[in-house]
């Protein structure tokens, strides 16, 4: 009986969606026959049975997803790189590095930089002509050249449609990605000190799409952007998917809940909440993703800045007339738009700012030693690690220092506690489906109230959601806490606005894989509860406001003190 149960378990693991080629699926079928026909009966010892399966599985798995592997750092197998399955209607493409099967990566040696390259904001960028020249050259290279524009964009397609979002891999991977992109451009124009600009959407002077990207004669221009979001429209860092046009912008921005573009105060409050209030590494970097771990699972989860404003800006910038909001609005195509690199340069800059507040890196060795493979500026296929990317100065660059107005943009309570009355809300049965255009509220019990300051400093009180959704679709819902009045018009500049879950369209990994995705979503609420003056209350009312996308299954909602504890 035990053997029968074990065999059923093995069958489940084998049929569970892998990132496999046709030949690898054949190997998987051989394993299934091995179990079903009873060949494995001779291996009564469970360890022997698993060992035999591992011998097959080790040859079959690729891209560092092996369900039998023990926990260890992520390290992509470029020789096992497969074609992604793209959104419906998109022409097939290969996102793997060129000639990857013929080369063995070498460990990258960081040059000994004598001077720092200073990245500057796009609205104050003095390297424009060099940047245009470099992009013209890179776009003229053959598609199969490792430095070509096609290959640069496919780096994101190869990695980020599969597993390098929704986890702690997000920030360091993109830092390395931009590093080599910048180095390659500098090599092409023979300028080792060349730097790319950053789009500083976190400050009022940078909240428009930068002028350097809207000149139609420039190689930095991309026609596949939302034409209703061109200057003078200001970015909405917490965009909820609805658009108002230039012609009715002045009139409708005050009455349309759909687009808060131009609301500088809301943008600054979003930055305060998503960056300054996030004090602990795991909640800023994202949850672990290790070798042998299935991507997009309840063990993974996005960092605060990835969801908002990173994802929202991707969606806000992408062309809503395209099937999947290409280019910026779909991860497989996002890096085709030159503005992608400046957007991510600012995400990278925000990481350095967050650390300047005295915050720490993740010390887990699996995070420190996670590695990636890129072509460097000399066309060498190189392997790099996270622990070499924690300090931009080690990589030879830094960012121009700018004012941070969002540090003074703490969200305001809607009303004082004495004027609030508690809505009568029942606790919803879990799981439940959050439907489009249907706002729901539920009660969530707090495990502990009136914690001491020492306890708060050690462990963040976090509101944790377990979710299931289709990752090929765009999705956003907002989370409000103890909102009692006009929750349909809740705004990030108000304290009751706790955060948002945002997913940009990801391609699924194989044609056999259902795009159903599970992940966790956490919001630190210690400061929020203090400011709402409800630290002594045994429960909170959580309201979910769906903004766009298909339905999402809320599998669990709870409050945890372990999700974001100090290291």
């Amino acid at each position: 009986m035990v053997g029968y149960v074990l065999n059923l378990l093995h069958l489940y693991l084998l049929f569970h969606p892998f990132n496999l080629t046709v030949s690898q699926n054949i190997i998987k079928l051989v394993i299934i026959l091995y179990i079903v026909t009873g060949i494995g009966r001779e291996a009564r010892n469970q360890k022997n049975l698993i060992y035999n399966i591992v011998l097959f599985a080790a040859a079959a798995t690729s891209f560092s997803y092996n369900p039998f592997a023990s926990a260890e750092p992520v390290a992509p197998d470029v020789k096992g790189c497969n074609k992604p399955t793209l959104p419906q209607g998109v022409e097939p493409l290969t996102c793997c590095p060129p000639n990857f099967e013929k080369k063995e990566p070498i460990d990258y040696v960081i040059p000994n930089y004598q001077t720092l390259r200073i990245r500057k904001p796009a609205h104050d960028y003095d390297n424009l002509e060099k940047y245009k020249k470099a992009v013209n050259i890179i776009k003229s290279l053959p598609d199969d050249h490792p430095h070509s524009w096609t290959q640069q964009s496919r780096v994101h397609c190869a990695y980020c449609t599969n597993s390098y979002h929704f986890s702690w891999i997000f920030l360091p991977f993109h830092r390395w990605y931009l590093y080599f992109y910048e180095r390659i451009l500098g090599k092409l124009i023979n300028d080792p000190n060349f730097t790319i600009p950053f789009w500083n959407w976190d400050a009022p002077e940078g909240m428009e799409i930068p002028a350097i990207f809207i000149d139609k004669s420039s190689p930095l221009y991309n026609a596949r952007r939302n034409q209703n979001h061109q200057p003078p429209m200001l970015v909405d860092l917490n965009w909820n998917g609805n658009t108002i046009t230039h012609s009715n912008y002045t009139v409708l921005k005050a009455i349309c809940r759909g687009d808060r573009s131009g609301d500088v105060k809301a943008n600054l409050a979003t930055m305060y909440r998503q960056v300054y209030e996030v004090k602990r590494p795991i909640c800023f970097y994202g949850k672990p993703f290790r070798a042998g771990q299935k991507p997009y699972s309840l063990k993974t989860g996005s960092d605060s800045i990835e969801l908002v404003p990173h994802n929202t800006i991707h969606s806000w910038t992408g062309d809503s007339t395209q099937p999947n909001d290409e280019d910026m609005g779909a991860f497989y195509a996002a890096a085709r738009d030159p503005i992608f690199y400046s957007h991510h340069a600012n995400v990278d800059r925000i990481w350095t700012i967050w650390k300047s507040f005295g915050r720490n890196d993740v010390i887990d060795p699996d995070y420190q030693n996670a590695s990636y493979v890129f072509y460097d500026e000399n066309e060498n296929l190189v392997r790099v690690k996270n622990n070499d990317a924690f300090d931009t100065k080690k990589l030879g660059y830094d960012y121009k220092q700018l004012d941070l107005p969002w540090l003074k943009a703490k969200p305001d309570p809607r009303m004082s506690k004495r004027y609030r009355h508690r809505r009568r809300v029942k606790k919803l049965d879990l799981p439940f489906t959050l439907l489009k255009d249907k706002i729901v509220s539920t009660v969530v019990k707090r495990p502990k109230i009136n914690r001491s300051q020492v306890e708060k400093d050690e462990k963040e009180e976090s509101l944790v959601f377990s979710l299931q959704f289709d990752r090929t679709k765009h999705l956003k819902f907002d989370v409000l806490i103890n909102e009692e009045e006009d929750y349909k018009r809740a705004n990030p500049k108000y304290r009751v606005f706790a955060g948002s879950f945002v997913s940009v369209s990801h391609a699924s990994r194989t044609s056999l894989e259902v795009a159903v995705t599970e992940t966790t979503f956490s919001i630190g609420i210690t400061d929020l509860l203090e400011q709402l003056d409800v630290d002594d209350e045994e429960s909170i009312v959580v309201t979910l406001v769906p903004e766009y996308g298909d339905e999402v299954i809320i599998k669990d909602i709870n409050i945890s003190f372990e999700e974001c504890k100090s290291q």
Side-chain angles (χ1 to χ4, degrees), residues 118-119 198 349 352-353 356 398-404:
I118 304 299
R119 291 180 181 172
F198 60 90
R349 167 178 166 262
T352 67
I353 292 171
S356 74
D398 200 357
Y399 289 95
K400 182 178 179 178
Q401 299 298 305
L402 302 176
D403 290 337
L404 303 175

Side-chain angles (χ1 to χ4, degrees), residues 77-80 97-105 144 375 381:
D77 176 11
V78 292
K79 295 185 178 180
N99 301 315
F100 62 90
E101 72 280 2
K102 299 177 183 178
K103 292 189 176 183
E104 192 67 33
D144 61 354
Y375 275 102
L381 192 64

Side-chain angles (χ1 to χ4, degrees), residues 16-162:
H16 205 59
F18 286 28
N19 183 19
L20 302 179
T21 62
V22 173
S23 61
Q24 291 167 337
N25 275 299
I26 293 174
I27 294 174
K28 194 164 74 171
L29 288 174
V30 172
I31 303 173
I32 294 170
L33 290 173
Y34 172 82
I35 296 171
V36 174
T37 58
I39 296 175
R41 291 173 188 163
E42 295 180 5
R44 292 294 184 183
N45 184 298
Q46 181 184 349
K47 292 182 180 179
N48 289 340
L49 179 59
I50 294 177
Y51 175 76
N52 285 319
I53 295 174
V54 169
L55 292 179
F56 286 101
T61 56
S62 66
F63 214 74
S64 76
Y65 170 40
N66 178 353
F68 298 101
S70 59
E72 58 185 23
V74 169
D77 176 11
V78 292
K79 295 185 178 180
C81 184
N82 297 320
K83 295 180 181 179
T85 296
L86 303 167
Q88 187 174 4
V90 176
E91 293 185 6
L93 58 87
T94 300
C95 293
C96 302
N99 301 315
F100 62 90
E101 72 280 2
K102 299 177 183 178
K103 292 189 176 183
E104 192 67 33
I106 59 176
D107 290 335
Y108 181 66
V109 178
I110 300 173
N112 183 20
Y113 294 107
Q114 299 299 314
T115 58
L116 286 179
R117 310 183 304 279
I118 304 299
R119 291 180 181 172
K120 298 179 179 180
H123 71 272
D124 185 29
Y125 184 57
D126 55 7
N127 266 341
L128 179 57
E129 293 307 313
K130 287 185 176 181
Y131 195 14
K132 289 161 62 175
K133 178 181 179 181
V135 172
N136 268 325
I137 294 173
I138 204 172
K139 286 186 173 182
S140 71
L141 296 175
D143 284 351
D144 61 354
H145 191 288
H147 289 170
S148 72
W149 186 258
T150 297
Q151 295 303 330
Q152 294 306 307
S153 67
R154 288 181 180 176
V155 168
H156 201 255
C157 174
Y159 290 110
C160 293
T161 58
N162 286 344

